Each structure stands twice: as structure tokens, then as C-alpha cells.
Amino acid sequence: MAKASRSFQVFVKPIGNACNLACEYCYYLKREGLYPKGESLRMPFSILERYIKQHIEASSDSVIQFSWHGGEPTLLGIDYFRKIISLQRKYQPRHKQIVNGIQTNGTLLDEDWCHFFAEMGFGVGISLDGPEEIHDHYRLTRRGGSTYREAMRGYELLQKHHIPCDILCVVHKRNVSDPIGVYRFFKKIGAPSISFLPLVEPQPQEETGVSPRSVPAEALGQFLCNIFDEWKNQDIERVRVELFEEVARTAFNQEPALCIFRKTCGDVPVVEHNGDFFSCDHFVDRKHRLGNIEETSLVDFLESPAQRSFGEAKWRTMPSFCQSCEVLKMCYGGCPKDRILKTPDGEEGLNYLCSGYRRFFNHCKPFVSELSALWQKQSLGGKISIPMVGHFKVPPKIGRNDPCPCGSGRKYKRCCLGKQSF
């Protein structure tokens, strides 16, 4: 059976866009017109089994990862996920591990769910935007009511059962002005891991080209810089901040883990409730539907010219303004969905968040240089201690033939080896 030529992560939507909430900024609720009204959004077991089998067969990694998304996947009930586990065990190869992650709003979690997650080793992502008055501004019930207390109840249950948990915080117009308040709230509730997701909602009718809810780019840059400084001074080894780990990777010449910062993308496609395959979670539309896993195997979609072309377009369509940027290798133009502006010289394709990311990545450069220098000194036999960066593991010492961490593109032995002083 053919294997995928590279690692991949599939966002599976076993309940489609069905959700018990009506968050004002949810981009996936807007996919309602993609499928006929009244159609069941529950993935049939026949398609579920086909997907799990194909995913396992396509993966060449020793750890096979499944990511369950929605909508709100807990609407399916625990028994549905018990079926998932039984199907995974049915097709699990010897000497390979299977891990599961689920993204949830947390409002439907209870003791039974948490016992299940703990027993089966699930990692859980939970959506929280900050303290109650901030969280409840956009994250609402279908009747416009508060969701904060139910979400926090779910989060506290996850903590009680010691379930690995990552907080997903959408950064928008409402919370971007209080970076330290938002960050300290997450620290106060004992958050071990935080991911910040900037809200960008293209709206051609608006003066800025985005909705009033969207985060202003410059404000995002300041938000990230302020939190980074406190994190670096107080929490570098205690709190995982996904974006800050991405920064640390550049110090060791490692490829970004987040697709938005890679040179090419396309490794995080979507499989919908009916088996439809889409190129990306942010491009679930008819143009980017490549087919259905009942007709074409998952690995064939992953390796298809259409999917490769989708991923490579990120680099091919990058404006020349970006290609000459001093932080290019930390950003690579960001997510293509946000490339809605023109460059100063009038070229299409500038990322709406460019000014914010540029400010943040330049702010982090001294930290990156410090980490890189420590790593090089350690490789030369120096008794140097490199701080842990959240959950990110510092790579082994540099080999003579490894790429030089200074970013020159040359081998270490032909670049910085022997140039260090202690």
C-alpha cells in the first residue's frame, strides 16, 4: 500500500459544521450552503471506517495522529468515539502508536467524557478567548446567551482529570488591547498550553477590507510582543505558547510546525462528514473539493498534483516585497487566506497581518540569536544550558555536516564551526 511522501494532519469533520453554539466569528458555520439543508451531518460508520483505514495506511510515521474537528464533535456522543477507537485498533499496525486530538468549545464536557479522554489518551483543544466579559463578547449560544461558565466548567473538568489541554484563543478587536490581562488570565487558570489565532474576516465593503471584529494588524504585533516579553522573563519553561515555539525553531534551522509559516502548505487538508476531501480547513469550497474518499484513496489525494499545486502556490504567488523581507524565513507570507492587501508598490497578495507579524518577528530576533549562539557553543563542547521553550525540545548538538544554525545555507563545518568564543 502506498504511503504519503511526507507527514500530514487531516482535520476530520465527523459532524460537519453542526454546533450547539453560534459564535459570531465562526467561519465554519458559514459552510451551511455547501450541503443540502436537512442532510444528516453525522459521518456514517461505513465512511468513518474507510477514512480510518486509509489514514493509517497512508501514514509512514511511527506515531499516527488523528484530529477530530467540527462544528462541535462532542455532539456525536461518547459511543461514537468508542467506535472510532475500536476501528483504529482494528487497523493499527504493530509497533505503531495512534494518538487522538479533539477540538471542542468545552460546553458539553462532563465526567463521562473526561474519563473517556483520560483512558484513551486524548489531547484536547478548548476554545477560550479570555476572561468572562471578553469570552462572551463573540462566543454566544444560539439564543445570544453567555457560554463562559459552561466552557470554564469543561476546562476545569479537563484539568481535574489531568488531560493534556491546549487553549485556543482567537485574537480579535475586543481582546487585542489587553494582552497582559488576557495572558495573565490564562496563567491564573493554570493553562499549560496556549495558541493565539488572529481573526481576519475579509469584508470588501469595509474601509479596511475586513470586518469590525477583525484584529488590527499593528495591534496584533504589539499584543504578541507584550506577551512574549512577559513569557520570556517569567514563563519560558512553564507555559507553552505555540507561536513562541515557532520562533524558537528558527534558532535551530528547523521547519515550522505551523503550516501558516512554512514555505509551502497543503499538509492539513479536511475530510468532511460525507467523505469529501478539501485542500485546507480555510478553503472548504467547491473550488477546492478534490473528490471523495469513497472514490479515491486518501493517499492519492495527498499526493495528487492538485494538492501539491495548492501547497506550492503559497510560495509561487508570494509578492516580491515579501521575498526581500528581513523576516521571510520566520513567516513566508503567512496563511494564503489572509493575503488580501496590496504591497507598497501595488502588487497583489500582501498578508493583512504583515505589519503585525513583521513587528513581532523583528522583536524576537535577539532571542533567536541568543538561542542559536547557545546551541552552537554547546555543540563545540561548551558546558552550556539551553532553556526549555515550553514543550519544544532543543535538537541534538550540531553535526559537522548539518546546516549551520546561522541560516547561511552552508554546512556547519564550512561556516560557523571554529568561529565561536567562550
Side-chain angles (χ1 to χ4, degrees):
M1 181 61 66
K3 301 286 186 184
S5 60
R6 59 199 185 281
S7 296
F8 62 88
Q9 179 183 14
V10 178
F11 281 2
V12 195
K13 310 282 185 171
I15 193 65
N17 68 349
C19 188
N20 61 316
L21 304 186
C23 302
E24 290 185 14
Y25 54 57
C26 180
Y27 65 92
Y28 225 75
L29 281 179
K30 299 171 185 176
R31 304 290 191 263
E32 289 179 346
L34 197 62
Y35 297 104
K37 286 187 177 180
E39 176 183 291
S40 173
L41 296 177
R42 185 184 181 92
M43 182 179 281
F45 286 145
S46 59
I47 295 178
L48 178 68
E49 180 165 8
R50 185 181 295 267
Y51 163 67
I52 289 173
K53 182 175 185 291
Q54 291 183 7
H55 185 118
I56 290 172
E57 289 174 344
S59 178
S60 57
D61 297 331
S62 59
V63 178
I64 304 172
Q65 300 186 37
F66 285 85
S67 299
W68 306 98
H69 285 244
E72 176 49 47
T74 59
L75 284 171
L76 289 161
I78 296 176
D79 286 343
Y80 191 96
F81 279 84
R82 289 196 177 102
K83 179 68 172 180
I84 286 173
I85 296 297
S86 69
L87 289 171
Q88 289 175 339
R89 289 174 174 172
K90 177 179 178 180
Y91 295 106
Q92 182 174 1
R94 294 181 62 189
H95 311 304
K96 285 201 175 187
Q97 180 184 1
I98 291 177
V99 297
N100 287 281
I102 186 172
Q103 182 65 39
T104 176
N105 58 44
T107 62
L108 300 178
L109 298 183
D110 57 19
E111 289 284 347
D112 289 341
W113 270 113
C114 290
H115 280 300
F116 173 77
F117 288 152
E119 181 184 0
M120 299 303 168
F122 270 64
V124 179
I126 188 168
S127 298
L128 289 169
D129 286 355
E132 184 171 3
E133 65 277 9
I134 291 177
H135 178 87
D136 279 344
H137 197 76
Y138 296 129
R139 300 192 61 81
L140 305 170
T141 66
R142 292 189 173 275
R143 295 185 177 182
S146 168
T147 65
Y148 173 80
R149 292 185 181 180
E150 289 302 297
M152 281 301 300
R153 182 189 55 77
Y155 171 72
E156 289 165 0
L157 280 171
L158 293 170
Q159 282 194 312
K160 172 185 172 183
H161 289 269
H162 307 289
I163 295 164
C165 181
D166 176 61
I167 286 178
L168 176 63
C169 172
V170 176
V171 186
H172 45 66
K173 184 70 176 289
R174 180 74 176 177
N175 59 7
V176 73
S177 60
D178 188 19
I180 299 303
V182 169
Y183 180 60
R184 288 180 179 171
F185 165 76
F186 290 140
K187 289 202 293 182
K188 182 179 178 181
I189 65 173
S193 178
I194 310 165
S195 297
F196 292 112
L197 179 65
L199 178 64
V200 181
E201 296 180 307
Q203 301 286 335
Q205 66 271 26
E206 301 292 336
E207 290 184 9
T208 60
V210 297
S211 74
R213 290 187 292 261
S214 297
V215 61
E218 287 287 351
L220 173 69
Q222 189 62 56
F223 177 92
L224 294 173
C225 289
N226 288 358
I227 293 177
F228 178 84
D229 288 343
E230 176 153 328
W231 170 84
K232 180 177 179 290
N233 292 331
Q234 300 181 17
D235 309 307
I236 188 171
E237 296 187 333
R238 296 193 306 111
V239 179
R240 174 183 183 260
V241 180
E242 186 179 45
L243 181 55
F244 302 165
E245 288 189 1
E246 292 296 277
V247 168
R249 287 177 184 277
T250 65
F252 309 114
N253 261 359
Q254 292 194 339
E255 183 182 45
L258 288 174
C259 58
I260 62 172
F261 297 129
R262 292 178 188 165
K263 186 175 181 179
T264 60
C265 58
D267 295 330
V268 190
V270 162
V271 171
E272 263 288 351
H273 65 285
N274 65 346
D276 283 349
F277 179 101
F278 294 88
S279 292
C280 172
D281 190 39
H282 290 286
F283 292 87
V284 176
D285 52 42
R286 288 180 174 84
K287 179 181 176 181
H288 295 92
R289 178 188 177 276
L290 301 192
N292 191 287
I293 62 168
E294 291 198 286
E295 301 161 356
T296 304
S297 69
L298 180 67
V299 70
D300 286 340
F301 282 132
L302 293 168
E303 297 295 313
S304 68
Q307 186 66 6
R308 287 186 176 274
S309 178
F310 172 84
E312 291 167 358
K314 181 181 179 184
W315 173 253
R316 289 199 316 268
T317 61
M318 184 182 294
S320 55
F321 176 81
C322 297
Q323 295 181 31
S324 60
C325 179
E326 72 278 6
V327 294
L328 171 66
K329 292 184 178 180
M330 303 176 85
C331 174
Y332 281 114
C335 183
K337 77 176 179 65
D338 297 330
R339 292 181 179 179
I340 59 176
L341 301 183
K342 291 184 178 180
T343 65
D345 56 1
E347 191 176 358
E348 298 280 356
L350 181 66
N351 195 302
Y352 168 81
L353 298 170
C354 171
S355 59
Y357 279 142
R358 196 170 189 175
R359 179 176 185 177
F360 169 66
F361 287 132
N362 274 308
H363 182 78
C364 294
K365 276 189 169 182
F367 171 73
V368 171
S369 297
E370 180 183 353
L371 277 184
S372 181
L374 288 172
W375 188 43
Q376 291 181 62
K377 288 181 178 181
Q378 186 186 74
S379 292
L380 288 171
K383 296 182 179 179
I384 304 296
S385 175
I386 302 178
M388 288 287 293
V389 181
H391 298 178
F392 174 76
K393 293 182 179 180
V394 176
K397 294 181 179 182
I398 319 167
R400 290 173 53 85
N401 292 311
D402 290 338
C404 188
C406 76
S408 66
R410 292 180 289 175
K411 291 183 178 181
Y412 182 46
K413 67 183 179 183
R414 299 190 182 280
C415 192
C416 291
L417 179 62
K419 296 182 182 179
Q420 306 303 312
S421 58
F422 294 91

